Amino acid sequence: MPRPAAPRGGQLPAELFDLLFAGHAPEQWADGETLFMQDDPPDRVFGIVKGAVEISLYSPDGRKIVANMETPHSLVGEIGALDGGTRTATATCVGKCEVYSISHAQFVDRVTRTPALSRAIIGLLCARIRWISGEFGDQVMLKVDARLAKRLLFMASAFAADDGWIEISQSELADFLGATRESVNKNLKQWREARILDIRRNGIRILDEERLRAHVALQPPAGGPQR
């Protein structure tokens, strides 16, 4: 089930991914199952073979923000394994997933003993930092319509089906953008009426990429981030 994904460069090369999880059989996880919850102890590190894993943050009052979506050859849970702290987010399977898992101790041992793997992990963490920095900049600098257009263009380039449809709901889009569902719905409706994109239940298809791309270049809001 395609969804907005991890930053480009945020995955391990295939040969190093296989090396990290050598000797471990892949595990099958169902849609909606959680690999771990926010604030759990960092007992295992997961590697995605097939499917996608949603990384979400929850506030004390239960509000949810989707921070990222990890895809094949991505690692999940490596931060806690490296610094020993509790989980910073909740990891939930989106659709059926196939993943590897190794213990905290195994992960540290293999990364420590293999310089190429150590360098790759550092590169992966740097890619995540760059991604987070870019997302934060978008939140501050761009209006919600520009952020929405940018997200849709990225998803279309990486995850659209052969017929151009992107499988995602308006609520999921709002979670990713940190915006309200109403603001996302308003922009999508306007773009559908303008024949920039088409909408169906849990699906969006871009009809005019050039016109949608023009919205990414809109001037930043004068009063700060829009919600």
Side-chain angles (χ1 to χ4, degrees):
M1 183 181 298
R3 289 291 191 274
R8 291 168 184 173
Q11 292 85 20
L12 286 180
E15 65 277 10
L16 293 178
F17 183 87
D18 292 340
L19 177 63
L20 178 60
F21 295 102
H24 293 261
E27 306 165 4
Q28 306 300 320
W29 292 70
D31 180 35
E33 284 193 288
T34 56
L35 301 183
F36 52 79
M37 300 289 289
Q38 188 170 323
D39 297 324
D40 278 353
D43 56 340
R44 303 195 72 76
V45 175
F46 298 86
I48 304 171
V49 181
K50 295 179 182 178
V53 174
E54 177 187 280
I55 307 300
S56 302
L57 305 174
Y58 289 86
S59 68
D61 62 0
R63 287 180 298 149
K64 171 184 171 182
I65 296 177
V66 177
N68 210 346
M69 193 72 70
E70 303 293 354
T71 49
H73 290 168
S74 290
L75 299 185
V76 181
E78 78 285 354
I79 293 176
L82 290 169
D83 70 6
T86 58
R87 303 294 194 186
T88 60
T90 294
T92 306
C93 294
V94 179
K96 294 180 180 179
C97 289
E98 186 174 298
V99 303
Y100 288 121
S101 74
I102 58 175
S103 71
H104 178 167
Q106 287 175 315
F107 174 77
V108 172
D109 179 64
R110 293 186 179 191
V111 170
T112 301
R113 288 190 296 105
T114 310
L117 193 52
S118 299
R119 291 191 295 270
I121 296 295
I122 292 171
L124 183 148
L125 293 173
C126 288
R128 296 199 196 285
I129 292 171
R130 290 179 182 275
W131 173 263
I132 292 169
S133 178
E135 290 291 293
F136 176 76
D138 285 352
Q139 290 281 340
V140 174
M141 303 291 289
L142 298 179
K143 295 191 293 185
V144 67
D145 56 345
R147 285 159 38 213
L148 176 58
K150 186 176 180 179
R151 175 68 67 176
L152 289 174
L153 289 164
F154 170 73
M155 291 167 57
S157 68
F159 299 102
D162 292 340
D163 58 3
W165 283 99
I166 305 162
E167 186 182 353
I168 191 166
S169 71
Q170 294 182 27
S171 294
E172 288 170 324
L173 269 176
D175 286 341
F176 274 102
L177 297 174
T180 64
R181 188 182 185 282
E182 290 75 17
S183 63
V184 169
N185 178 268
K186 176 183 176 181
N187 283 284
L188 292 178
K189 182 179 179 181
Q190 291 174 344
W191 293 343
R192 179 176 60 183
E193 292 172 349
R195 298 296 297 161
I196 293 175
L197 49 80
D198 195 8
I199 301 173
R200 68 184 185 191
R201 182 176 178 81
N202 295 330
I204 298 170
R205 179 172 59 180
I206 297 174
L207 301 177
D208 192 330
E209 182 177 320
E210 184 176 349
R211 291 169 65 197
L212 183 61
R213 194 172 296 279
H215 285 269
V216 180
L218 292 176
Q219 293 298 312
Q226 302 292 305
R227 293 288 185 271

